[in-house]
Amino acid sequence: AQTVTQSQPEMSVQEAETVTLSCTYDTSESDYYLFWYKQPPSRQMILVIRQEAYKQQNATENRFSVNFQKAAKSFSLKISDSQLGDAAMYFCAYRSRDWAAGNKLTFGGGTRVLVKP
Amino acid sequence: NAGVTQTPKFQVLKTGQSMTLQCAQDMNHEYMSWYRQDPGMGLRLIHYSVGAGITDQGEVPNGYNVSRSTTEDFPLRLLSAAPSQTSVYFCASSFSGANVLTFGAGSRLTVL
C-alpha cells in the first residue's frame, strides 16, 4: 500500500515571500499521479497542481510550482509571492495509474500555511 | 451545474443512532467515493464505486454501508453511530478515465 507523509504540520510565511511544503511518498509502482490540494476554512477541497510521474518536467500553475524528485520519492510545493488568500491546509495526495483500481487517492496528513501581512 | 452536493452539512447524533449522508452529482461521473477527514490524518477512503451497482471498500470501511443504485447518487449509511465516527465526510466523483476528483463541500458529523 502507498503512504504519503507531510512532515511539516504548520508553516508560516510573510506576505509576498516564498514558502515550500514538503511531501514524501512510498510506492512500488513506477507510474502514478501526485497532487496538491488546498483546503481553506470553507472546507472545500481545491486542486492546486498535479504531476504525472512519467513526466520529468515539474508542473507549474501560476504562483504554484512543484519539485518532483522521483528517485527520492519527494514532491514539494512552492508557493511564490504568497498572498493572504493562500492561508489554508495543504494536502499532498497520491493516485495509482492503475485504472482498474478506480480513482482512489491516498492523502498525507496536511500542512497548515499561515500568511502574515 | 451543481457539481457534487452533500447533505446535510452538519449533523449531531447520539451513540447508536443511524443516519444517511447523501451525495449527488449531476456530471454523469461513473466514479464516486466517500472520504473521512480527521485532524492530522488527512482524508481516508471509506468506500468507492466505479459505476451503478458496483461498490468496494476503501481503507476504513468498518461501520459504514454504501449502495449505488443510480449513476447520480451514492449515499453513505451509518447503521449504529459511534463516537469514533465523529469526523468531516467528503464525497468525491470523477469520470472513470480522469485523474481529477470533484469534491463536495463536506458534512460535519458529531456523535455524542
Side-chain angles (χ1 to χ4, degrees), chain B residues 17-54:
Chain B
Q17 286 185 319
S18 63
M19 78 155 300
T20 299
L21 296 175
Q22 301 290 347
C23 176
Q25 53 90 9
D26 61 357
M27 298 169 285
N28 205 30
H29 285 169
E30 300 94 345
Y31 180 85
M32 297 186 75
S33 54
W34 278 102
Y35 290 84
R36 60 177 288 172
Q37 180 180 13
D38 301 297
M41 301 186 73
L43 281 73
R44 292 179 294 167
L45 183 64
I46 304 171
H47 285 285
Y48 67 97
S49 168
V50 298
I54 305 170

Side-chain angles (χ1 to χ4, degrees), chain B residues 63-74:
Chain B
Y64 307 95
N65 283 346
V66 292
S67 59
R68 183 96 179 270
S69 57
T70 67
T71 299
E72 294 79 18
D73 300 298
F74 190 46

Side-chain angles (χ1 to χ4, degrees), chain A residues 6 35-37 39 45 89-93 107-110, chain B residues 37 42:
Chain A
Q6 295 178 246
F35 306 86
W36 279 99
Y37 278 88
Q39 187 181 46
M45 294 291 288
M89 282 290 289
Y90 287 81
F91 292 98
C92 179
F107 286 86
Chain B
Q37 180 180 13

Side-chain angles (χ1 to χ4, degrees), chain A residues 66-83:
Chain A
V66 297
N67 184 3
F68 173 49
Q69 301 291 327
K70 190 173 183 179
K73 295 180 182 175
S74 172
F75 183 61
S76 61
L77 174 71
K78 184 170 77 172
I79 307 174
S80 303
D81 186 24
S82 297
Q83 301 176 359

